[in-house]
Every structure is written in structure tokens, then in C-alpha cells.
Amino acid sequence: MSAEEISGDMTDGFHLVVDALKLNGIDTIYGVAGIPITDLLRLAQNEGIRYFGFRHEQSAGNAAAIAGWLTQKPGICMTVSAPGFLNGLVALANATINCFPMLLISGSSDRAIVDLEQGDYEEMDQLAVARPHCKAAYRVNRPQDIGTGIARAIRAAVSGRPGGVYLDLTAEVLGAALDAETGRKSLVKVVDPAPSSPPAPEAVARALDLLASAQRPLAILGKGAAYARADQEVRAFLEASGIPFLPMSMAKGLLPDEHPQSAAAARSYAIGNADVVLLAGARLNWLLSHGRPPLWNEGTKIVQVDISPTEFDSNRAIAAPVVGDIKSVFAAFNAALKPGKVKPSGAWLDEIGRRKTQNIERMAARLNADPSPMNFSSALRAIRNALATQPDVYVVNEGANTLDFGRNIIDMDKPRHRLDSGTWGVMGIGMGYAVGAAAVTGKPVVAIEGDSAFGFSGMEIETICRYELPVTTIIFNNNGVYRGDPADRPYSPTGLLRDARYERIIEAFGGAGYHVTDTPSLTKALTEALASKKPALINAVIDPTAGTESGHIQSLNPKSAAAQKK
Ligand SMILES: Cc1ncc(C[n+]2csc(CCOP(=O)(O)OP(=O)(O)O)c2C)c(N)n1
Ligand SMILES: [Mg+2]
């Protein structure tokens, strides 16, 4: 059937889904077409919703997830049943672990057949599979429930701690008819989908008292703080109190990296020696060494601001928990902060400053070197130079060494402009995030990709070219995962094809390809690509011996206890 050919007094599942999405301000869908959602996608497009069709559902899901993080509206990914759903599920799980609001909406096969395992086309109990991997999962079984199903899914994704939500739409429901009036009445416009959650005054007082008692306070800002769009409130509090801060990776730019209170260049010293840490929208997970020694001091007291109370005491005791949304909490902090009440000691600020200068000088020597072939530092310096005058550019970054060096070397000036592998350190987000960011911001995107990382979503270069998005992909081509094959070990588990000409991939789709082997050419290619506002791919040849195993997290590789006992 064609979804448009229905008589005036009747509607159907296809129309109700589109009407419900539009009613709730959803204007973009990312997906891959097929049974049973093809007509749904066509109809959505006819009704003015933008549709981005991908080459793989994981990338469509990643685009939706990052769109959600950038807009505070759930990003929508639509897929076909079983295999398409499973491909999208990785992105849904990744969105959930990163607290990005996203909806994975998948068509599903005939429930009567699926539930009796009678072997339907793309048979799978998708709801059961999805449930452990997302924040909430729902199935709509009747057309008159579509409005409620979408409303619940939207609210679950964006309220409280944001996350991924799965919505199962059976083929039967999509095709089912309903009289138009009943259909209209069944739609739900979600009122205040992410209600603010102001903190309790006593929690605010406890937090400020603890910070006031500190000689050596430190703030750690997570991507939850960036998501909250509390840019002014957070900055005002940190500047009024003078507390030095560290941004987690995707919180870079919440305050500019150049800000004098940034302690990023003295990270270990600052964490290890703080007496009170203000943790805002960041979790004490592996990325912060669980808040434990040796990085952390046992005696450090922690103020934790989080939307989710179950986060407190997750890894160590929290002295001053503050439940609430970051914007409301920092507004309350600002209102309650008396001038001079919180005051880091001069010695603490001086020591952080001294170590920052020392570390920056040490890094400068590495950054200013110009080895041939390029290494991570020199190539990133070339990129940094090209980006220096372009603070609007969104930076996507994945890989191991490419990610770790990239995080340290590429400064961010604006909030929510750095999009990377996140909580899981996952590979494969690159091209999906690039498309999602370009789609919702209309701004240029530069994706800095390890050659292995790029491979996970590389076919989406065609998607980028098809939609003519202003995305420049830079591949750090060191012939492998972490580094190239050693000469005496071809086909090593970490090796990739030597000297691959990745730039020719984009040329196949009409984009601009560059092959660069030195830093001036890299800066020039990137500057040219950004000026063109068109799809480009720069194959940057990096010394295959430059990377280290696992980048900066080598210590997480298991070591054989047996070998150590020898
Ligand atoms: C989905 C997924 N699969 C595998 C990994 C393991 N892994 C971590 S980094 C990485 C690739 C690193 O190589 P590359 O992207 O080329 O970066 P480089 O260190 O060479 O700069 C891989 C495969 C992962 N993090 N995520
Ligand atoms: Mg590599």
C-alpha cells in the first residue's frame, strides 16, 4: 500500500507515527529503509521531516544519539526488524551509557508468529533484546496507542538522566486503520518533557560549606554539565569562587580551554592533591580512576552534583551529594554563595599554575618538532593551526593515540563542540556523529580519525557526499590499530594495509581527497576543505611506529599472573 492513499475520515499507523513525532517537535529522522518502515520514512519526508538515510544502522543511531546530546531533544533512529534493529542497538546502548537522549524506533515482524517462534521474516523478540541495553523499552500493539507510546518514549529519553529508549512498532500496527478523529484524539503532546529539578536548599548549603572549608578545591566538569546548557551558571560560579577546573573530554569548551582557571595541564597533580572536589555531571567511573588511589587521595572530600541520586557513593563515599539538574543547582550555588566564602589558597593556585607552565613547556617541545613522517603531535599541531581561527567547527575524534593526543592538543573554545568516543571508548561513532552534528548545527565538522577507527563507519563517506555535508574527515594513517605492523610480523592482530589511499574513497563519491605527508600540506588541505564547505577527506600519513599500544590506557590490558610468577 501507499501510506498517502487513505480516505479523509480514516488514518493509519504510518500517519499516526508521523503526526505524533511532528506534534512533539521532532524534525529529523536518521535511519536505513526496508520492510516494514519504508512507507513510514517516505511519509515522514512528505510531511516535512528531514530524513538522513545511512549505509548502516549503527551510524544512523550514532547520528541520532549525538543530535540528541546537542539539542536536548531525542534523536530518532529508525530501522527495520531483527538485523537492522540489532545494528542500531549498539548505538542505543552507547547513547544510554553516555546519557544521550535517543529513540531507536524499529519495525518488527508479526507478533503472533514471532512469539511462537514460527519463523517469520526477520523474526526476533526485539523488545526483550533491547530492554537490558537502554533506559526504557516499549512496544505499541494498537494504533490508538501510538501517541502514548511516542510520548512515553520521548519523556523517558530526556527526563532525569537522559538515555536511549527503544520503541517497537509492529508491521501490523503501522498498517492498521483507525478513524481519523479517534486517531487525532489519541496523540499526546508531551508537556515539559525534561522538568527542571532544583536542589534542596540544605544540600546546597552543605555543599557550599564543604567547599568553603577547602584550601585546595577543584571542580571536575563532565559531559552532563555540558549537556545541561548551564554554561553561564557554571562559569559564573567557578569565576566567583576562583576554583580551578578540569573538563572531562566532552566538557572541553564548557569554559574555554584557554581559561586561566583551567587546571587541565596539571591534571594528576590537581586531582591527587585537592582536599575538596566538586564533581558536576561527571561520574566516578574508570575515566576518573573510580575516585581511588593512586590518582586520588583517600582523604579528599567530594561534592557531587548529579541528576541521578543513585550515582552517589557509587565508587567512594560522597560527603555532599546534591541531586538536581546542573542548571538549577549552579543557579542555586550562585544565589547562595557569599563573596569570599569559598577561597582556594594562594599556594594551591600558585602550585597548579607552576605545574601547568612546566607541562605546557614540556609539551611545546614535542609539539613544535617537525619529524618526517609526521607523528601524532605534529599532525595535531597542523590541525590546531588550521582550526585556531574557526571556533565554530565541531570536532569529532576517535581512535586510540589519535583520540588521546587529540584530546590534549586540540583546544576547544565553545561548549559542546567536542564529540568523541565517550564513556566506552567505543570505535565507530565517527561518521555517524559527524553527520548528526552537521545536520543539527549546520556548522562545519572536522572528524579526526584513527585509520582503524575510521573503518568502522567509513562507508558513511557516501552519506556525507550524498547530502553534501560540510564534513572534513582526517585519517591518521599509521597502518594499524595503535601502530603499523612491525617489519618482522606481517598480518599482526593490530596491522592494517600499508599505505592505504583512503582519500580515493571520497573521490569515488565526488568529494575532495587529499593525501598529505607533511604538516604544511595538512594545514593547507584542512584550510581549503573548510573554506569549500564541502565533503573532504584528508589521508594524513603518520609514522607507523609513532603510536603506543592502547594509547594512554595501556595499563588496562590484562597481564598474565602466571608469566609474572616465573
Ligand atoms: C567497537 C570497538 N571495537 C574495538 C575496540 C578496540 N580498539 C580500541 S582503539 C582501537 C583502534 C585504534 O587504532 P586507530 O583508530 O588506528 O588509532 P591509533 O591509535 O592508531 O591512532 C580499537 C580497535 C573499541 N574500542 N571499540
Ligand atoms: Mg591507527
Side-chain angles (χ1 to χ4, degrees):
M1 68 153 266
S2 158
E4 294 119 86
E5 291 163 16
I6 52 172
S7 64
D9 55 351
M10 292 300 282
T11 188
D12 59 18
F14 295 109
H15 283 82
L16 288 168
V17 172
V18 172
D19 292 348
L21 291 175
K22 282 180 68 177
L23 181 66
N24 286 288
I26 303 292
D27 55 15
T28 308
I29 294 172
Y30 309 87
V32 176
I35 298 170
I37 61 157
T38 312
D39 266 344
L40 179 60
L41 299 175
R42 267 194 211 111
L43 180 68
Q45 221 176 25
N46 291 348
E47 297 286 320
I49 293 181
R50 279 196 308 173
Y51 175 67
F52 286 90
F54 284 73
R55 307 302 297 259
H56 191 288
E57 291 86 351
Q58 192 180 120
S59 290
N62 284 326
I66 209 65
W69 189 70
L70 288 168
T71 61
Q72 294 186 317
K73 281 199 302 194
I76 311 290
C77 173
M78 282 196 187
T79 80
V80 304
S81 343
F85 153 78
L86 281 175
N87 285 343
L89 189 60
V90 173
L92 186 72
N94 186 60
T96 305
I97 206 78
N98 281 287
C99 315
F100 299 160
M102 164 190 173
L103 263 55
L104 175 66
I105 302 181
S106 297
S108 58
S109 302
D110 190 319
R111 276 201 68 194
I113 300 176
V114 172
D115 287 356
L116 265 176
E117 297 186 14
Q118 293 176 310
D120 203 2
Y121 168 70
E122 297 192 344
E123 174 178 298
M124 177 176 280
D125 183 359
Q126 295 167 197
L127 185 64
V129 173
R131 193 158 265 147
H133 304 292
C134 56
K135 187 177 170 193
Y138 308 108
R139 175 156 53 215
V140 177
N141 288 299
R142 306 182 302 180
Q144 62 268 38
D145 292 336
I146 285 172
T148 300
I150 286 179
R152 296 208 72 189
I154 290 173
R155 193 180 284 284
V158 294
S159 60
R161 169 173 287 175
V165 176
Y166 176 61
L167 188 66
D168 194 274
L169 296 178
T170 63
E172 197 183 357
V173 162
L174 287 172
L178 198 66
D179 79 88
E181 179 60 11
T182 310
R184 244 190 316 277
K185 284 191 186 146
S186 71
L187 298 180
V188 178
K189 181 166 169 53
V190 183
V191 176
D192 196 8
S196 67
S197 163
E202 57 273 24
V204 171
R206 183 171 53 217
L208 291 184
D209 285 347
L210 185 54
L211 284 168
S213 74
Q215 296 292 306
R216 300 183 305 283
L218 173 72
I220 300 180
L221 308 171
K223 62 179 174 296
Y227 173 80
R229 294 182 175 253
D231 312 345
Q232 298 311 319
E233 291 83 352
V234 171
R235 185 170 186 152
F237 181 73
L238 293 181
E239 289 183 346
S241 62
I243 302 177
F245 71 91
L246 290 176
M248 300 301 289
S249 189
M250 282 179 64
K252 274 166 70 77
L254 176 50
L255 276 77
D257 280 329
E258 299 269 283
H259 194 283
Q261 282 170 249
S262 168
R267 184 178 186 271
S268 307
Y269 173 79
I271 294 179
N273 292 278
D275 56 357
V276 177
V277 166
L278 166 60
L279 195 62
R283 292 164 287 182
L284 280 179
N285 57 20
W286 71 279
L287 287 158
L288 281 171
S289 304
H290 304 281
R292 296 184 191 139
L295 181 62
W296 291 66
N297 191 314
E298 297 265 17
T300 304
K301 295 206 159 53
I302 300 176
V303 176
Q304 185 168 10
V305 182
D306 204 284
I307 190 93
S308 169
T310 53
E311 197 55 46
F312 306 132
D313 309 319
S314 62
N315 283 274
R316 68 180 275 176
I318 299 301
V322 187
V323 189
D325 69 275
I326 304 273
K327 197 174 174 76
S328 304
V329 171
F330 276 78
F333 280 178
N334 287 324
L337 182 71
K338 303 228 163 49
K341 180 175 158 116
V342 175
K343 200 163 173 22
S345 79
W348 173 238
L349 299 181
D350 288 349
E351 187 56 21
I352 289 179
R354 206 178 61 73
R355 285 170 187 262
K356 260 174 74 172
T357 312
Q358 216 174 49
N359 290 340
I360 289 169
E361 272 166 16
R362 208 174 297 149
M363 197 161 115
R366 229 178 301 138
L367 269 184
N368 293 329
D370 215 357
S372 178
M374 293 186 284
N375 64 18
F376 292 94
S377 298
S378 66
L380 283 157
R381 183 200 68 224
I383 293 171
R384 195 176 70 172
N385 290 348
L387 293 182
T389 53
Q390 315 248 8
D392 283 343
V393 167
Y394 282 77
V395 173
V396 171
N397 192 193
E398 63 176 334
N401 295 280
T402 304
L403 176 77
D404 292 335
F405 282 93
R407 182 173 51 242
N408 291 339
I409 294 174
I410 305 293
D411 281 346
M412 303 310 298
D413 192 49
K414 293 192 169 177
R416 296 171 293 280
H417 276 57
R418 180 182 163 82
L419 318 168
D420 68 24
S421 297
T423 310
W424 266 346
V426 72
M427 298 299 115
I429 48 90
M431 299 300 100
Y433 281 11
V435 173
V440 295
T441 69
K443 294 283 190 315
V445 178
V446 171
I448 307 171
E449 301 274 308
D451 50 349
S452 163
F454 170 73
F456 288 74
S457 65
M459 195 62 199
E460 304 302 343
I461 288 290
E462 187 274 331
T463 311
I464 289 167
C465 289
R466 185 162 20 105
Y467 292 102
E468 300 178 78
L469 297 172
V471 174
T472 304
T473 303
I474 306 172
I475 298 178
F476 274 31
N477 187 359
N478 64 351
N479 302 348
V481 177
Y482 315 136
R483 53 196 287 137
D485 274 335
D488 61 347
R489 184 157 180 173
Y491 305 115
S492 80
T494 55
L496 294 171
L497 184 75
R498 273 170 216 211
D499 309 321
R501 298 300 295 256
Y502 291 104
E503 75 280 9
R504 293 188 186 155
I505 296 177
I506 200 165
E507 287 167 1
F509 305 123
Y514 299 86
H515 181 255
V516 302
T517 56
D518 58 48
T519 52
S521 323
L522 176 49
T523 304
K524 183 165 173 284
L526 178 53
T527 305
E528 199 176 297
L530 283 170
S532 79
K533 300 191 169 65
K534 296 219 168 82
L537 190 155
I538 302 171
N539 180 2
V541 177
I542 306 287
D543 182 352
T545 67
T548 52
E549 176 101 359
S550 305
H552 293 181
I553 52 173
Q554 192 158 23
S555 62
L556 298 182
N557 284 303
K559 305 258 176 326
S560 163
Q564 281 158 18
K565 278 193 181 129
K566 265 201 287 190

